């Protein structure tokens, strides 16, 4: 069938909440995607930081196929071995004490929110307690996670939201202190803001918020959905700081394309919820957990974190060369393989040109930032090729 026919059928059928690019993808291999016309694309978006191990990973496919033949789902009324394996591995790499598997990132954030509320309730705080979140954050689309997302554009049409959320300026400790009161029960933030434009938390900020939480017996909740799973050059981005959260969320790259997330907690946060407080039908089923478990094994076997540090440094150098060369590039930020280039102009036309003309998949974060979140298994030659196609697109569109 012709590409245009697929697109027309999709637009006819799907609820209209996305403006999609006119490409229909068919299959993937490594760091490349192929469309229904057989054209090859170099992917520096990884399905929005999901495909850490790239496309078509043989070991992962084999583990998933094996599980399909055995058992896909049983509900959480029973135990299953892939969930036990995946859970233990996740606790080991995170240093947390308890895990709950979810179906998505937004549900993992809902879990963090419920931990904060349950903790405040147990402490006997009045129900008007408050949670401090960050401006320009992104935590998901469900009502709780949306309430924590510091973006008026996303929030406004869906008000009223969860009450008691106050927004501080990211990396501005004074702004957190200014919002603090005896009602504050938790602080939530991304360790590296993703959607908001690739802003890593500073050492002083994260340490300062941790100290405030300790001083006032509040919980520090870190959203590692985008920056976690090796992407920052640490298994979880907070591990690059001298700070440990009370609870954290994971998703995106955890299942390498299989929808699975988790929230993890330790100490008092790990004990906050009790039987009956939370649950899920699909969450942690054997099929998704065999994927998460295998992904965690492969991260270790393939030494993904070390690879990210090496390739992250290489990507940094290549992007810096572009910053030197082109006046339309205003700033370069990030860590490991989560980097952002800020342009002086809107990047929409550039992203479209790169995709359609150069067959390079890039994704934006906000109107004038390009976010580089490639598969973690990229090689130097892929970075070179990306830089070449990006430069060609910059010259075609913005100069
Ligand atoms: C993507 C993302 C989410 C939401 O995850 P979904 O799986 O889309 O629900 C939450 N927080 C951060 C930081 C994210 O990047």
């Amino acid at each position: 069938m012709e590409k245009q026919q697929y697109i027309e059928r999709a637009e006819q059928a799907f609820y209209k909440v996305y403006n999609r690019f006119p490409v229909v993808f068919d299959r993937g291999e490594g760091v490349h995607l192929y469309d229904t016309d057989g054209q090859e694309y170099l992917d520096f978006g990884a399905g929005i930081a999901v495909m850490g191990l790239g496309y078509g990973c043989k070991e992962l496919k084999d583990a998933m196929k094996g599980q399909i033949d055995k058992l896909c789902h049983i509900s959480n009324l029973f135990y299953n071995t892939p969930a036990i394996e995946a859970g233990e591995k996740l606790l080991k790499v995170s240093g947390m004490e308890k895990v709950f598997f979810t179906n998505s990132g937004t549900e993992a954030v809902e879990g963090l929110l419920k931990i904060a509320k349950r903790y405040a309730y147990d402490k006997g705080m009045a129900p008007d307690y408050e949670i401090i979140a960050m401006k320009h954050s992104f935590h998901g689309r469900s009502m709780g996670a949306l309430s924590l997302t510091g973006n008026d554009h996303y929030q406004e049409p869906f008000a009223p939201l969860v009450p008691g959320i106050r927004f501080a300026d990211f990396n501005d400790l004074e702004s957190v202190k200014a919002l603090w009161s005896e009602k504050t029960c938790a602080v939530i933030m991304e360790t590296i803001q993703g959607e908001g434009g690739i802003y890593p938390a500073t050492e002083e900020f994260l340490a300062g918020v941790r100290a405030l939480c300790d001083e006032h017996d509040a919980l520090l909740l870190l959203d590692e959905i985008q920056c976690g799973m090796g992407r920052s050059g640490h298994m979880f981005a907070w591990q690059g700081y001298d700070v440990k959260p009370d609870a954290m969320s994971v998703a995106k790259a955890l299942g390498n394309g299989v929808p699975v997330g988790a929230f993890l907690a330790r100490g008092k946060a790990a004990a906050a919820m009790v039987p009956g407080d939370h649950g899920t039908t699909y969450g942690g089923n054997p099929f998704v957990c065999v994927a998460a478990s295998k992904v965690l094994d492969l991260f270790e076997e393939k030494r993904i974190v070390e690879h990210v540090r090496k390739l992250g440094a290489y990507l940094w150098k290549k992007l810096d060369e572009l910053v030197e060369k082109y006046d339309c590039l205003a700033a370069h930020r990030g860590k490991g393989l989560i980097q952002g280039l800020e342009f002086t102009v809107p990047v929409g036309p550039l992203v479209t040109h790169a995709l359609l003309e150069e067959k390079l998949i890039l994704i934006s974060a906000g109107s004038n930032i390009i976010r580089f979140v490639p598969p973690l298994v990229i090689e130097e030659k892929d970075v070179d090729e990306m830089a070449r196609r990006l430069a060609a697109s910059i010259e075609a569109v913005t100069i």
Side-chain angles (χ1 to χ4, degrees):
M1 188 178 288
E2 287 295 311
K3 177 174 88 174
Q4 201 48 41
Q5 285 174 280
Y6 283 124
I7 293 173
E8 277 160 25
R9 283 169 60 193
E11 290 305 323
Q12 198 67 40
F14 295 161
Y15 202 102
K16 185 67 189 167
V17 289
Y18 290 110
N19 290 312
R20 290 183 165 87
F21 293 100
V23 180
V24 188
F25 282 119
D26 183 45
R27 64 187 183 88
E29 193 59 50
V31 299
H32 293 104
L33 280 170
Y34 299 84
D35 68 14
T36 46
D37 297 333
Q39 301 230 55
E40 183 185 272
Y41 296 75
L42 176 60
D43 184 12
F44 263 65
I48 317 187
V50 167
M51 304 302 292
L53 297 171
Y55 299 94
C57 173
K58 168 110 174 51
E59 296 98 318
L60 181 58
K61 284 196 293 192
D62 288 345
M64 286 161 62
K65 286 175 186 168
Q67 191 62 41
I68 286 173
D69 286 337
K70 276 170 78 177
L71 180 66
C72 284
H73 181 81
I74 49 161
S75 91
N76 281 306
L77 299 175
F78 309 99
Y79 300 99
N80 76 76
T81 50
I84 299 167
E85 296 277 332
E88 285 178 349
K89 288 171 193 172
L90 208 43
L91 293 179
K92 182 160 165 264
V93 290
S94 64
M96 294 282 129
E97 292 161 14
K98 296 288 178 193
V99 56
F100 181 99
F101 285 108
T102 66
N103 310 295
S104 65
T106 202
E107 285 169 89
V109 172
E110 293 293 326
L112 298 183
L113 185 58
K114 282 181 79 170
I115 286 175
K117 283 179 163 275
R118 192 62 163 88
Y119 185 66
Y121 174 83
D122 271 353
K123 280 207 298 181
M125 291 174 84
D128 64 348
Y129 51 74
E130 293 178 352
I131 295 172
I132 298 177
M134 300 297 143
K135 292 179 189 162
H136 305 296
S137 58
F138 182 82
H139 295 293
R141 303 296 198 149
S142 52
M143 293 307 291
L146 178 62
S147 303
L148 300 166
T149 292
N151 182 324
D152 292 341
H153 174 72
Y154 288 160
Q155 287 197 338
E156 205 183 278
F158 302 103
L161 299 171
V162 174
I165 317 287
R166 317 270 318 260
F167 290 96
D169 291 309
F170 192 61
N171 280 338
D172 178 353
L173 191 58
E174 291 309 313
S175 80
V176 177
K177 286 184 182 161
L179 294 178
W180 205 286
S181 77
E182 72 285 350
K183 294 181 183 174
T184 308
C185 71
V187 179
I188 184 165
M189 68 174 100
E190 296 150 88
T191 320
I192 301 174
Q193 285 196 332
E195 289 292 310
I198 317 295
Y199 287 93
T202 61
E203 293 275 350
E204 311 77 69
F205 184 64
L206 203 51
V209 172
R210 176 71 271 180
L212 275 173
C213 290
D214 289 341
E215 194 182 323
H216 299 278
D217 190 24
L219 299 178
L220 174 60
L221 312 171
L222 291 181
D223 184 344
E224 289 267 342
I225 291 171
Q226 186 159 167
C227 61
M229 291 301 293
R231 189 159 285 286
S232 71
H234 293 272
M235 192 60 190
F236 296 103
W238 61 262
Q239 291 167 333
Y241 298 76
D242 199 13
V243 161
K244 199 169 181 179
D246 297 292
M248 56 182 275
S249 53
V250 200
K252 289 199 164 90
L254 177 59
N256 207 68
V258 172
V260 55
F263 61 82
L264 300 145
R266 68 179 176 101
K268 53 201 183 187
M273 289 201 279
V274 300
D277 277 349
H278 201 52
T280 168
T281 300
Y282 290 139
N285 82 19
F287 178 65
V288 302
C289 283
V290 96
S293 180
K294 195 69 187 177
V295 165
L296 290 163
D297 287 345
L298 292 170
F299 262 66
E300 211 171 292
E301 280 166 33
K302 294 177 186 276
R303 305 180 67 82
I304 294 291
V305 171
E306 287 84 344
H307 184 75
V308 168
R309 287 188 193 174
K310 196 167 133 250
L311 269 291
Y314 192 72
L315 175 64
W316 190 270
K317 191 177 107 209
K318 285 283 153 182
L319 292 182
D320 259 3
E321 285 171 17
L322 297 178
V323 173
E324 286 294 308
K325 189 164 174 200
Y326 297 110
D327 289 343
C328 62
L329 294 179
H332 178 198
R333 294 185 290 271
K335 286 189 178 176
L337 289 175
I338 174 164
Q339 296 186 28
L341 269 187
E342 188 171 324
F343 285 68
T344 57
V345 293
V347 296
L350 179 67
V351 168
T352 304
H353 184 277
L355 176 73
L356 300 180
E357 305 302 327
E358 294 292 333
K359 306 289 183 256
L360 168 64
I361 301 172
L362 295 171
I363 50 183
S364 58
S367 68
N368 62 337
I369 295 158
I370 288 185
R371 132 174 68 159
F372 299 83
V373 286
L376 305 178
V377 294
I378 53 160
E379 298 292 348
E380 290 187 358
K381 65 174 173 18
D382 303 315
V383 176
D384 292 342
E385 183 59 22
M386 182 281 294
R388 198 189 63 68
R389 296 188 197 184
L390 174 59
S393 301
I394 291 173
E395 288 185 13
V397 172
T398 63
I399 291 180

